[in-house]
Amino acid sequence: MALIDLANPTRFLSLSRSLLPWLTGLCVLAFAVGLYMSFFVAPEDYQQGDTVRIMYIHVPAAWLAMMCYSIMALSSLGTLVWKHPLADVSAKAAAPLGAAFTFMSLITGSLWGKPMWGTYWVWDARLTSVLVLFIMYLGLMALWRTMEDPIKAGKAAAVLTLVGALNLPIIKFSVDWWNTLHQPASVMRMDGPTIHPDILWPLLVMALAFTLLFFVLHLMAMQNEILRRRVMALRQRAAAIRPATATASTASAAAE
Amino acid sequence: MDLIAFLDLGPHAAFILWSYGICVAVVAGLIAWVRVDRARQDAALRELEAQGIGRRSTQRTDA
């Protein structure tokens, strides 16, 4: 099935309805395995001790924060370039999820930072650029709410999303381009991960769990947005019919 | 690491537990948001259907 086949909202609703139970089941299983590995399999870190266990939620949340914005950027291209009918639905549905993952990343990072760095926050490049990402998510959510017409709102949001996508490589390479307190990349590196497998595997399983969670929530939020637009269209039709019937009743009463 | 050791998360246990607690709360909030929103849309569609306002495609099928 090509992406264009999913342009039909009814077809998308049907497909997502059959996919969701499987994705939800896999997500729950991944979290169960991931949390078990994070607490009962992974050892303490020789420097961080048990505080390393915060990394099993902080790192996946940060990855998802960026992945979500990437999906929004691709959706925005779909809106502006290919005019895919569900592209702006996808982008709008993803924004609150991305904001939530970014928030989790910032909070867990702060809670890890206090015992490890001695501070909840520093204005270094990585933390500041992720905070900017969080503010951008909130701005996009606000922009959608300012316009009643979802199509116009989708186009405006698509442009802003694409401009904001410049922040993604800044976040990724901030630890290389500037002197930062935040450590450099340990997993996604050209020469491979530098983390021991005992800590890497629980991290990857939790990342899978978070990714599945995102897709479950994203599909559900897209379904809701499609239904919301249906309700809006039906209410507009109802409003158009009512004055017409009222006018017809008035005219026939006057004729009598 | 057994259950007893699990309960002892070292000197910074509060930070670990707060981190996981906040994440659970955020995820629970997201799940509640999508489910409540879905219930609202379903209720609105049922109300419109009760008023006889339906989608043109379903009305064509009925005809």
Side-chain angles (χ1 to χ4, degrees), chain A residues 185-204:
Chain A
S186 316
V187 179
M188 299 200 192
R189 297 160 52 99
M190 295 295 281
D191 52 354
T194 55
I195 307 178
H196 193 277
D198 283 351
I199 291 184
L200 179 62
W201 279 110
L203 179 62
L204 293 178

Side-chain angles (χ1 to χ4, degrees), chain A residues 10 35 39-40 50-51 53-54 56-57 96-97 100 103-104 107-108 111 114-115 120 213 217 220-221 223-224 227-228 230-231 234-235 237-238 242, chain B residues 1-3 6 8-10 12 15-16 18-20 22-23 26-27 30-31 33-35 37-38 41-42 44-45 47-48 51 53-56 59:
Chain A
T10 304
L35 287 169
F39 281 97
F40 296 99
D50 277 301
T51 318
R53 304 189 198 281
I54 296 178
Y56 300 126
I57 41 175
L97 306 178
F103 176 76
M104 281 196 284
I107 290 289
T108 53
L111 289 169
K114 180 61 178 171
Y120 286 110
L213 175 68
L217 293 173
M220 290 173 76
Q223 288 179 339
N224 292 352
L227 294 178
R228 192 188 338 276
R230 271 192 193 167
V231 167
L234 289 173
R235 281 183 177 152
R237 260 183 69 207
R242 267 190 229 112
Chain B
M1 187 187 190
D2 59 16
L3 195 60
F6 166 69
D8 175 20
L9 288 168
H12 308 299
F15 293 94
I16 300 169
W18 268 104
S19 297
Y20 278 83
I22 288 171
C23 285
V26 170
V27 171
L30 286 175
I31 293 169
W33 166 63
V34 287
R35 290 181 71 96
D37 193 21
R38 179 57 181 259
Q41 305 313 319
D42 284 342
L45 281 170
E47 191 194 321
L48 285 161
Q51 293 170 15
I53 312 287
R55 299 179 67 217
R56 287 192 200 93
Q59 286 169 353

Side-chain angles (χ1 to χ4, degrees), chain A residues 9-19 223:
Chain A
T10 304
R11 198 173 297 155
F12 173 83
L13 285 175
S14 168
L15 177 67
S16 58
R17 207 175 295 127
S18 24
L19 268 179
Q223 288 179 339

